[in-house]
Amino acid sequence: MSPLEWIDAQRDFLLSELVEFLKFPSVSAQPKHRADLHATAEWLKRYLEALGFTVELLEEPPVVHAYYDGPAGAPTVLFYGHYDVQPPEPFELWESPPFSPRIHNGAIYARGACDDKGQVYGHLAAWRYLHQRYGRLPLSIHVVIEGEEETGSDTLYRVLKAHGPKWRSDVALVSDTAFFSESIPTLTVGLRGLIYTEVIVRGAQRDLHSGSFGGVAPNPAIALAQIIAALKNPDGRITIPGFYDEVRKIDPAERALWQNLPADEAHYERLMGSPATGGEVGFAPLERIGSRPTLDVNGMVSGYIGEGSKTIIPAEAKAKISMRLVPNQNPQHIWTQYKAYVESLAPPGVSVDVRLLHEPAPAFETPTDSIFYKIAEEAITEAFGKRPIPIREGGSIPVLSALREAIGGAPVILMGFGLPSDAVHSPNEHFQLRQLWGGIHAAIRFYEGAAKHA
Amino acid sequence: MSPLEWIDAQRDFLLSELVEFLKFPSVSAQPKHRADLHATAEWLKRYLEALGFTVELLEEPPVVHAYYDGPAGAPTVLFYGHYDVQPPEPFELWESPPFSPRIHNGAIYARGACDDKGQVYGHLAAWRYLHQRYGRLPLSIHVVIEGEEETGSDTLYRVLKAHGPKWRSDVALVSDTAFFSESIPTLTVGLRGLIYTEVIVRGAQRDLHSGSFGGVAPNPAIALAQIIAALKNPDGRITIPGFYDEVRKIDPAERALWQNLPADEAHYERLMGSPATGGEVGFAPLERIGSRPTLDVNGMVSGYIGEGSKTIIPAEAKAKISMRLVPNQNPQHIWTQYKAYVESLAPPGVSVDVRLLHEPAPAFETPTDSIFYKIAEEAITEAFGKRPIPIREGGSIPVLSALREAIGGAPVILMGFGLPSDAVHSPNEHFQLRQLWGGIHAAIRFYEGAAKHA
């Protein structure tokens, strides 16, 4: 039975399994979901054991590690994915509950549908096919599926130090990225690095009456606004001293390739539902996303935010501020410069506390000249009918650098099947079923292709 | 029995009544407390009826109006107060629950203990004394106690239009202000006006992945920070065009009087628990509070504010921004200029919505040459042993202008007994019992003095 015939015959069964997987509220950012993370890992363990893998759950929340010992002489692929998801809030904007998966208009809706449970599931299904087709898997596979990707992969960093060298592989495969669009398949060759911070500004020891103290009280909300406003100039350039010093110039060949894509400002305005794009003046949108660093406020809170009015001057104001880094930027340099600069921007009367929320991570790149990159190209071409274009994605999978290093420096192929319209990290996240079926098909062909490359 | 003897004999009883009054969670900003507002008004109605007042509850949440028809020829005093309180949040910073009043170290702790239930209660107690002492009240009294002072007095504005002219009085008396300090009694002769607004900045139609869209997404949190930062220059001057055009110059006599008060920067740093004061360069603290307008952020929220990190670019950012106005500033002019200016500050890619949360109110002043001002001076001098100093307070009681106009332009005496250290609008609000007893004493003497002024 060909992959296409098999997928066709198994659709309902495959969807029912995916629904099971998506039902776990595996939110790593929220301590109340700790037990749910564990339950999700246990589900994966049972699933993989049924396919003949030897499975261990390492540390807590568990990193699922599974190993399939393939035919002698066959290469070893390491598959990396994550079973944790972003917080679903704000709940009220979801059209159906985030952990009650719903199939609607050719897509499956749930938190994690695309990022990354739906994509991980594509590989579970591919291994099931291969197992049925050949009676065993045609190559050796290390599976590493972690539960803290969305919160900084702290546990996986530790696990990699202890176990990574035992997982030496010929190639690592990751499906946690997206096509440029439904009609333009892509292979991601670059991801940005990430520094995620919190800035806390404190003024008086308590909230104060804004009448009695307005005129003498320091206002930490205004101070925080002044700090944030000073981080970018009107052209969208980040003002942190030295921030752009190490940024690698955009390769003219890459720039030329991207100019053929329909990725103009209007494309992004449509995707975002916004009247205009933002960002750095002087670069095309794809360049701003793929090859230029950014700084964004991810959240901000101070004082009274309930209904109506409360006439206080807040004692404290907080912001979550993150930066995406591009090749050659050293995350430790940037963090040091950022922290010193933010501290220097504090007006008198307030104190500023600048913290890392997780380990800074550098940008990540994939070479396009390896045999495994070509195998991935072929697999996508067969499954989606078009040759994929190499592209740089703006997101980050911070742990990949450590993963690559731990397993011996093998190439890491970023073969993801999401779409930019999937609303990952947002309400109503979904995954197009066409991308799911095509992804399973491509994954099958990748493993078959890799197996032949003995 | 003299007021002092009576207060001494009745302490426990008076405190038990005040505790009853403070137990109602009469938070006007939060719709869930609507029934509590009603219950508080009913409690006041029963209390006043027992003293011989004719009481009506007008509209919803009720404005308590009570009338006592005094001896022929005696003057009429209108007493104004409010029974609603500020939201108690953040609960975790209270040392005891905000609606379980606690007596500790010579003070009573509860939300509303000072602002304004404790001060209102001082008058209930004074009327009880007068009733016992004379068998009736020695003058006519209109009582107006509203339940929406903390949220803009919308209902009272309507009630005043319909009923105010029937409440014509010779003087209005308000106890909703504070002494300069425990050892420096004051009579407030000026209050600032208030404009309370909300600014909502919107970018994309949904929260976006900060990697996939960082570089092209407009960031409403950054846009809001830029708007807020642009509202003041580094000297603390507000940059709204025309904002200072109508501000009245500080009277040299008043400036000289205030220079004798121990109101230096260190005084306010101690009160606030802050390493430095803020505000406009070039003015003394008391001038900045009493005679200069201010702009403050009272609250701010955007994006993900929970634990840990969530890598989104928020779709929306909101701030509550208020201004305190001084004599001669026209609130309608300022509102118009502010709105246009904030709208003009919006960067491309975001929309800005600027709203009033309640009716703008002008600053308010009390003439110091009326007989009733002198009666209040005498009353405080007797009760607290020192002659009160006229002072301008930075807070606002927005409805007072409309009240004065509705009842025929009578002088409004601001005879309040709070202390700047009472933490009004903050966690652990309290009211010093010495101020409570002295306030009852002074109120009794004010009513007696006014009654003699036939």
Side-chain angles (χ1 to χ4, degrees), chain A residues 86 89 192 205 207 210-211 214-216 219 278 288 296 298 300 302 306 308 310-312 320 324 425-426, chain B residues 86 89 192 205 207 210-211 214-216 219 272 278 288 296 298 300 302 306 308 310-312 320 324 425-426:
Chain A
Q86 282 276 309
E89 287 87 354
R192 290 191 287 193
Q205 268 167 2
D207 291 351
S210 71
V216 297
N219 190 315
R288 304 202 306 265
D296 271 297
N298 308 98
M300 188 162 80
S302 181
K310 185 180 180 192
T311 49
I312 51 156
K320 293 179 195 276
R324 301 278 174 173
H425 293 210
S426 301
Chain B
Q86 283 276 310
E89 288 85 354
R192 289 191 288 194
Q205 269 168 1
D207 291 352
S210 71
V216 297
N219 190 314
M272 301 189 297
R288 305 204 302 267
D296 270 298
N298 310 97
M300 189 161 80
S302 181
K310 187 181 178 191
T311 49
I312 52 157
K320 294 179 195 274
R324 302 279 174 172
H425 292 211
S426 301

Side-chain angles (χ1 to χ4, degrees), chain B residues 81-106:
Chain B
H82 64 93
Y83 64 80
D84 66 319
V85 299
Q86 283 276 310
E89 288 85 354
F91 284 101
E92 66 277 13
L93 296 185
W94 284 81
E95 282 163 26
S96 53
F99 299 109
S100 300
R102 177 177 66 127
I103 289 159
H104 175 67
N105 269 348

Side-chain angles (χ1 to χ4, degrees), chain A residues 367-387:
Chain A
T368 56
D369 55 6
S370 81
I371 179 68
F372 296 104
Y373 184 84
K374 309 231 179 297
I375 291 170
E377 269 188 333
E378 292 306 323
I380 291 182
T381 306
E382 179 183 334
F384 290 90
K386 275 190 190 167
R387 197 151 201 84

